[in-house]
Amino acid sequence: MGVLKRMLVSGVVIMMVMVTRVASHDYGDALTKSILFFEGQRSGKLPSTQRMTWRKDSGLQDGFQIGVDLVGGYYDAGDNVKFNFPMAFSTTMLAWSVLDFGNFMGPDLPHALEAIQWATDYFLKATSIPGFVFVQVGDPYGDHNCWERPEDMDTPRNPYAASKQFPGSEVSAEIAAALAASAMVFRSRNPAYSARLLKRATMVFEFADANRGSYNDTLGPWVCPFYCDFSGYEDELIWGAAWLYRATKAPKYWSYVEQNISDLEKNVAKHTDRVGYGGGSFAEFGWDTKNAGINILVSNLLLSNNTSDAGPFIPNADKFVCTVLPESPTVSVSYSPGGLLFKPGGSNMQHATALSFLLLAYARYSNQSNREIHCGNVVATPARLIQLARRQVDYILGTNPLNMSYMVGYGNKFPRKIHHRGSSLPSVDRYPARINCQGGTPYFQSNDPNPNLLTGAVVGGPDNGDSYSDSRADFVHSEPTTYINAPLVGLLAYFRTHPPLMGGKSVMNMAVLMLLLGVTVVTAAVPKDYGDALTKSILFFEGQRSGKLPANQRMNWRKDSALRDGSDIGMNMVGGYYDAGDNVKFHFPMAFTTTLLAWSILEFGESMGADLEHALEALRWGTDYFLKATSKPGMVVAQVGDPISDHICWERPEDMDTLRTTYVVNQTHPGSEVSAEIAAALAASSIVFSNKDRKYSIVLRLRAAQVFEFANTYQGSYNESIGRGACPFYCDFNGYHDELVWGAAWLYKATRDPKFWVYVVKNIATLGGSIFEFGWDSKQSGINILVSPTVMKSPGSIFITNADKFVCSLLPESPTKSVTYSPGGLMFKPGGSNLQHATTLSFLLIVYSRYLQAARRSVHCGSVVATPSRLIEVAKTQVDYILGSNPLGMSYMVGYGPKFPQRIHHRGSSLPSTNTFHKHIGCHDGNDYLTTNKPNQNVLVGAIVGGPDNNDRFPDTRLNASQSEPTTYLNAPFVGVLAYFKGRLSLAIG
């Protein structure tokens, strides 16, 4: 039997086994638990019927400081804040679940109704004062700084309201939608209550529409970055009108929907530059974006009436389906190797449950009209949509590579250490004494399972490689939310009474589906272990640390060094990184390294798994240092260490006796390039920490703005200001204006302050240098790609034009290619340490490919059309070359693979460690270690060296610094590239 045939047969057998396993899920039990979860999220005075008894009363004074009763409602996730925007969306989805699938809920229906009424009772309070809508209760910064039970809360419980003067149309309209949908749920069960909900829904909608504006602008940091409305408020207004039309049949609401739907696309384009809009806004649905939900909700009205005028609703609903189907030619989501649907953005299970709900709802609407969906030459029947939705549900319940249920309390294996304060702390029953703000920190840090089961909670889930670290600290993956569970309630209700068919056709269909999702690829060898390479690429930064090393230092041959840095000018400049194989702290490339590490985490952090925490530590090691370097007004420390004396010596950083001169730039001796790059690093890092350490994030953001202002006000190059300290080591050949625009671009991304965008637009056309360059010296290509999502839909934008030209300069088949390639396929550009080009430019290719994919664009290089997948393919060839797919069969990452550089140009690595040789090694005493042909004594794991020449040759010698020396700015972009490929199948792009 041939290899292909054996793989196909084994794949079908695997699929048949998996189909058999699908039937083993107890959807009824999962439904019961998914609804029970909402009792664990209750705020306020708990009822006597409370079944999750470890929870007690909490938030009983909410609203009382302003004379309004705001007791009740739900905590959104693992914290103790009541964010009304996602709470309202959860309520709408619970109501939709009951409306469409309540007949299938059996004895769980009363509990589902209780869950809805717990929210609607609260929203009646939140909308009880005319002219005001309360949008949040609880200071998120105070709350997120504490780890305490809701029953013990002593953080500020500030109420936040929208009003005529300070509008919040998105949250107000979502509350209107929730009340309208819930009114239909209670219409036959409690007519008086239903009428009250509907009346209030109309009032709140009128308020939202009459006083238009986003709560982003009116409440600012109190809602952002927690539940910032990225897509604008117009979609919530149409969503609210659609639900009011369904609830009232009043023509004015239908007219509102029809009149405003056509403007929605351009409004979304106006409000967002996120990568998350893969496939266009019609493909999005969640607490922030309602577009796909609007189209499918309205399609039911149109299909049930057999209307011939489908408007944009049914075509867009069909297009949404085509973005999700794995076999569709226009699929824009990705799937993990185990088959889990993935979209960019945190807490991925919210996408899996919300989009699966829409698939199931649309399948039923289409089935009633005998419709099919056509995705090019692919025809999707309603049964196919249901099959795909079931696949997502089954994955969540345990049919996945880890055989783990991601619903707490369901199955034998489920998350035990979820990011949830109430669940992780001992209950009041077991520990009656109060646990204050910081008193719960040991429970957060503990590796013990949570003492209280938050039964039914669905967590954020695994990464896109199906890996899951059961850790409270990894909140993106381990935190449950109400808006993950709410649509899952409807899905489970349907599948509770609709078991999967087990006929031959069903088995074959499942086999085809799983083959499309790549499950049988597990029989093929994976040529590169990107996860191992990622781990090592981050570990390398520990080998470059300067200062007092922490207790958790893993590269233990390194010890404390340079503990008196900055003392010559009375500053504490201990810390930071050595840039390469020497012992100088050059802040210009160090700042660029920090910016690229931050960008790597922002784009690909969710794919890093357990390595994310180490990446964050590496980033913070840089930002903590730059806060010191910028701590005195009117000056910025640009460098520590005399490079001339340092480069004369070959000694360990632990033994340094060379000059540790501190070089500063100030108002009379400016250094705009280094100052602006530090501003960029701080701004980018502030975004990274915005959901992890918000106070620290604010400190970084404020300092970034101050440093940028200094860099821009006192313009000039540090080439002239610090002279030999900078040149010829890190001389700024490209001028400082690109760093100023780069810094402004990052500050705009971090703050959304229009003045920074104005600065970028005003100055981009005046930059010198090449639009094809990107590295520690030149930022042009990086600027164009960084801002491209903001202007992707603006024809003729200089940023998009130049970003496209950059791509065309790299593609081997492009008529305007300006780089060269070695015989073995390595990208080459003039200048030393060539792999810095391969890693940084590959990073840009992958980032831009994702932005292009989100905008459904390709790049045209003359007659050559480059799709997003082509950009990824080119980047992958560079990554694989670095990891060993090259003529020498050598990995250029130290410690990765069986063959890698052994004699790298690095002082600390080549000299014996203080563990094995305790005596001081003086300036010239290390020369014998420099010139010896023996391998380095300490393995600098993860270090990427300068690499081979343009004929794929590599002399493994310390004396050839341009090829054998590692640098931090080689590794920083490679961290992001490796994180991206870590989760992809090796055969995904050929």
Side-chain angles (χ1 to χ4, degrees):
M1 185 182 294
V3 175
L4 179 60
K5 189 173 181 180
R6 283 199 301 270
M7 288 179 63
L8 206 55
V9 170
S10 62
V12 171
V13 170
I14 292 170
M15 297 317 115
M16 292 177 68
V17 171
M18 292 187 73
V19 172
T20 302
R21 288 182 59 195
V22 167
S24 67
H25 287 304
D26 187 343
Y27 299 115
D29 180 51
L31 172 64
T32 298
K33 290 171 176 172
S34 69
I35 298 172
L36 178 60
F37 157 75
F38 287 92
E39 295 191 13
Q41 298 302 110
R42 283 172 170 168
S43 178
K45 180 72 175 176
L46 303 187
S48 59
T49 56
Q50 174 83 7
R51 295 173 295 166
M52 200 170 283
T53 55
W54 56 265
R55 278 296 323 285
K56 305 298 178 185
D57 299 342
S58 64
L60 297 182
Q61 295 295 309
D62 281 356
F64 279 36
Q65 65 265 54
I66 59 169
V68 181
D69 177 6
L70 293 173
V71 176
Y74 290 110
Y75 304 119
D76 73 301
D79 52 20
N80 301 324
V81 180
K82 295 189 295 197
F83 295 100
N84 290 6
F85 192 16
M87 191 200 304
F89 176 69
S90 298
T91 308
T92 308
M93 293 309 296
L94 270 177
W96 198 356
S97 291
V98 171
L99 288 170
D100 275 25
F101 307 109
N103 291 338
F104 307 134
M105 292 183 179
D108 289 305
L109 178 59
H111 296 299
L113 297 174
E114 290 172 4
I116 294 172
Q117 188 160 352
W118 191 266
T120 52
D121 283 352
Y122 170 76
F123 284 128
L124 288 174
K125 297 179 180 181
T127 58
S128 61
I129 300 178
F132 292 88
V133 170
F134 288 93
V135 301
Q136 186 171 307
V137 177
D139 172 6
Y141 297 98
D143 179 88
H144 285 61
N145 191 46
C146 296
W147 195 262
E148 61 183 347
R149 302 177 295 202
E151 293 83 0
D152 291 328
M153 275 190 294
D154 53 3
T155 52
R157 301 297 293 169
N158 301 341
Y160 302 90
S163 64
K164 295 178 180 179
Q165 184 179 2
F166 300 102
S169 294
E170 59 277 273
V171 63
S172 302
E174 185 62 64
I175 291 174
L179 294 171
S182 301
M184 288 187 283
V185 168
F186 291 105
R187 181 168 290 158
S188 61
R189 297 176 175 92
N190 188 337
Y193 186 67
S194 171
R196 186 182 175 200
L197 295 178
L198 191 55
K199 182 179 180 180
R200 186 65 58 82
T202 59
M203 292 169 54
V204 175
F205 177 80
E206 290 303 318
F207 168 81
D209 187 45
N211 305 287
R212 290 191 171 200
S214 173
Y215 82 155
N216 292 0
D217 305 317
T218 57
L219 292 176
W222 305 113
V223 298
C224 293
F226 310 97
Y227 286 100
C228 202
D229 179 17
F230 293 97
S231 68
Y233 56 78
E234 291 86 354
D235 56 326
E236 275 81 32
L237 287 169
I238 299 173
W239 174 246
W243 276 109
L244 277 162
Y245 177 67
R246 184 168 172 178
T248 66
K249 294 297 185 291
K252 68 177 181 179
Y253 294 118
W254 178 245
S255 297
Y256 188 99
V257 172
E258 283 193 306
Q259 289 169 7
N260 288 278
I261 192 65
S262 61
D263 293 331
L264 195 54
E265 292 291 325
K266 64 182 181 184
N267 285 332
V268 170
K270 180 178 67 177
H271 285 288
T272 185
D273 67 350
R274 294 193 308 165
V275 180
Y277 287 83
S281 60
F282 61 80
E284 298 300 320
F285 185 58
W287 61 264
D288 179 30
T289 311
K290 307 307 184 306
N291 300 56
I294 293 167
N295 291 320
I296 287 179
L297 176 66
V298 171
S299 74
N300 185 33
L301 304 173
L302 298 174
L303 292 173
S304 61
N305 293 328
N306 293 315
T307 180
S308 59
D309 181 14
F313 304 104
I314 292 177
N316 279 345
D318 286 356
K319 286 197 286 186
F320 156 73
V321 170
C322 296
T323 67
V324 178
L325 289 180
E327 67 269 30
S328 167
T330 56
V331 60
S332 64
V333 301
S334 59
Y335 286 87
S336 73
L340 181 63
L341 182 154
F342 254 84
K343 289 181 76 75
S347 189
N348 181 68
M349 284 300 189
Q350 67 178 305
H351 305 305
T353 61
L355 300 190
S356 294
F357 179 94
L358 293 188
L359 287 175
L360 179 60
Y362 197 46
R364 299 182 73 224
Y365 304 159
S366 297
N367 190 57
Q368 293 168 3
S369 301
N370 297 313
R371 284 191 74 252
E372 295 175 333
I373 292 95
H374 292 260
C375 307
N377 60 349
V378 173
V379 178
T381 64
R384 176 70 183 94
L385 275 58
I386 294 172
Q387 183 184 67
L388 182 54
R390 187 190 298 275
R391 175 71 188 102
Q392 300 307 299
V393 172
D394 289 346
Y395 186 107
I396 293 170
L397 297 182
T399 304
N400 55 59
L402 297 182
N403 295 317
M404 169 177 276
S405 160
Y406 291 102
M407 175 184 285
V408 174
Y410 178 85
N412 297 320
K413 182 181 179 184
F414 53 82
R416 299 283 181 173
K417 296 180 277 289
I418 69 172
H419 184 95
H420 191 278
R421 288 159 174 76
S423 171
S424 67
L425 292 158
S427 69
V428 174
D429 290 332
R430 293 178 52 199
Y431 190 89
R434 183 175 171 274
I435 301 174
N436 64 18
C437 173
Q438 301 301 325
T441 302
Y443 295 97
F444 170 72
Q445 297 172 337
S446 168
N447 199 40
D448 293 334
N450 287 13
N452 309 305
L453 275 187
L454 186 62
T455 302
V458 181
V459 296
D463 64 19
N464 61 1
D466 300 305
S467 299
Y468 179 77
S469 57
D470 192 4
S471 165
R472 293 178 202 94
D474 187 8
F475 67 90
V476 169
H477 297 106
S478 66
E479 186 171 23
T481 71
T482 56
Y483 47 88
I484 292 177
N485 269 60
L488 187 60
V489 168
L491 287 160
L492 291 169
Y494 177 82
F495 290 126
R496 171 182 175 268
T497 55
H498 295 76
L501 299 174
M502 294 306 298
K505 183 176 179 180
S506 178
V507 171
M508 184 55 67
N509 284 343
M510 182 61 77
V512 171
L513 170 62
M514 299 307 292
L515 285 167
L516 283 164
L517 295 180
V519 173
T520 58
V521 174
V522 297
T523 62
V526 178
K528 296 289 177 285
D529 188 345
Y530 300 113
D532 181 50
L534 172 65
T535 299
K536 290 171 177 173
S537 70
I538 298 171
L539 178 60
F540 158 75
F541 288 94
E542 294 190 15
Q544 298 302 110
R545 283 172 171 168
S546 178
K548 180 72 175 175
L549 302 188
N552 62 356
Q553 172 84 7
R554 295 173 294 167
M555 200 169 284
N556 52 28
W557 55 265
R558 279 297 324 284
K559 305 299 177 184
D560 300 342
S561 63
L563 298 182
R564 292 184 53 77
D565 278 358
S567 60
D568 59 330
I569 62 167
M571 289 183 68
N572 174 11
M573 289 307 304
V574 176
Y577 289 109
Y578 304 119
D579 72 302
D582 53 26
N583 301 323
V584 181
K585 295 188 295 194
F586 294 100
H587 293 188
F588 192 16
M590 191 199 303
F592 176 71
T593 295
T594 306
T595 309
L596 267 289
L597 263 179
W599 199 358
S600 290
I601 294 170
L602 288 171
E603 294 285 347
F604 309 110
E606 287 199 7
S607 299
M608 291 182 182
D611 289 307
L612 176 59
E613 289 305 310
H614 296 301
L616 293 171
E617 290 171 4
L619 182 63
R620 190 158 187 162
W621 193 267
T623 53
D624 282 350
Y625 179 75
F626 284 127
L627 288 175
K628 296 179 180 180
T630 58
S631 59
K632 288 192 175 181
M635 61 175 279
V636 169
V637 178
Q639 186 172 310
V640 178
D642 173 33
I644 304 296
S645 62
D646 180 273
H647 284 63
I648 291 172
C649 297
W650 195 262
E651 61 183 345
R652 302 177 296 202
E654 292 84 0
D655 291 329
M656 273 190 294
D657 50 13
T658 53
L659 295 173
R660 300 300 292 170
T661 308
T662 304
Y663 297 85
V664 301
V665 295
N666 53 35
Q667 298 172 4
T668 58
H669 295 83
S672 295
E673 59 277 273
V674 62
S675 303
E677 185 61 56
I678 290 173
L682 295 172
S685 301
S686 76
I687 309 172
V688 171
F689 289 107
S690 62
N691 287 324
K692 299 173 176 66
D693 187 339
R694 291 174 176 86
K695 289 185 176 179
Y696 186 64
S697 171
I698 293 171
V699 170
L700 296 178
R701 188 170 68 247
L702 292 175
R703 184 66 59 82
Q706 293 171 9
V707 176
F708 177 81
E709 188 68 24
F710 167 79
N712 187 47
T713 302
Y714 305 100
Q715 292 194 15
S717 174
Y718 86 151
N719 292 357
E720 288 76 44
S721 297
I722 67 174
R724 74 171 201 157
C727 295
F729 308 98
Y730 286 101
C731 202
D732 180 15
F733 297 100
N734 197 53
Y736 56 81
H737 294 95
D738 57 326
E739 275 78 35
L740 286 168
V741 177
W742 173 246
W746 275 109
L747 276 161
Y748 176 67
K749 189 174 179 70
T751 67
R752 289 297 182 269
D753 189 332
K755 72 179 181 182
F756 294 115
W757 179 245
V758 171
Y759 188 99
V760 172
V761 174
K762 180 180 178 181
N763 289 279
I764 189 65
T766 65
L767 296 188
S770 171
I771 61 171
F772 306 137
E773 300 296 328
F774 185 57
W776 61 264
D777 182 25
S778 179
K779 307 305 185 306
Q780 282 242 37
S781 295
I783 294 166
N784 291 321
I785 287 177
L786 176 65
V787 305
S788 64
T790 305
V791 293
M792 191 65 81
K793 295 184 179 180
S794 301
S797 165
I798 186 175
F799 302 102
I800 301 301
T801 300
N802 286 343
D804 285 0
K805 287 181 180 178
F806 159 77
V807 169
C808 296
S809 75
L810 300 182
L811 295 181
E813 67 271 27
S814 168
T816 55
K817 179 189 71 172
S818 63
V819 300
T820 59
Y821 285 84
S822 73
L826 181 64
M827 183 185 297
F828 250 83
K829 290 180 76 74
S833 188
N834 180 68
L835 286 188
Q836 67 177 304
H837 305 304
T839 60
T840 53
L841 302 186
S842 294
F843 177 87
L844 291 188
L845 284 175
I846 293 177
V847 170
Y848 196 46
S849 74
R850 284 155 54 89
Y851 297 169
L852 290 169
Q853 178 72 25
R856 308 296 295 278
R857 284 191 66 243
S858 295
V859 176
H860 293 261
C861 307
S863 60
V864 174
V865 178
T867 63
S869 63
R870 176 64 183 129
L871 275 59
I872 294 172
E873 182 177 309
V874 172
K876 188 173 186 291
T877 63
Q878 301 306 296
V879 175
D880 289 352
Y881 186 107
I882 293 170
L883 297 182
S885 295
N886 55 60
L888 297 182
M890 169 177 277
S891 160
Y892 291 103
M893 175 184 283
V894 174
Y896 179 88
K899 183 181 179 183
F900 52 83
Q902 302 287 330
R903 290 172 285 278
I904 68 173
H905 183 95
H906 191 278
R907 289 160 174 76
S909 172
S910 66
L911 291 157
S913 73
T914 57
N915 292 331
T916 59
F917 191 87
H918 303 297
K919 295 181 180 180
H920 176 81
I921 300 175
C923 172
H924 297 296
D925 295 337
N927 286 349
D928 289 343
Y929 295 99
L930 168 65
T931 58
T932 182
N933 199 40
K934 293 180 181 179
N936 285 15
Q937 300 201 25
N938 309 302
V939 179
L940 185 61
V941 176
I944 301 171
V945 297
D949 66 17
N950 60 358
N951 286 307
D952 304 300
R953 295 172 299 199
F954 179 77
D956 192 3
T957 170
R958 296 178 201 91
L959 300 178
N960 189 343
S962 66
Q963 292 185 255
S964 66
E965 186 174 25
T967 72
T968 56
Y969 48 88
L970 272 166
N971 272 59
F974 207 55
V975 167
V977 171
L978 289 170
Y980 175 80
F981 285 117
K982 174 191 173 189
R984 290 174 57 91
L985 296 173
S986 63
L987 301 182
I989 59 172

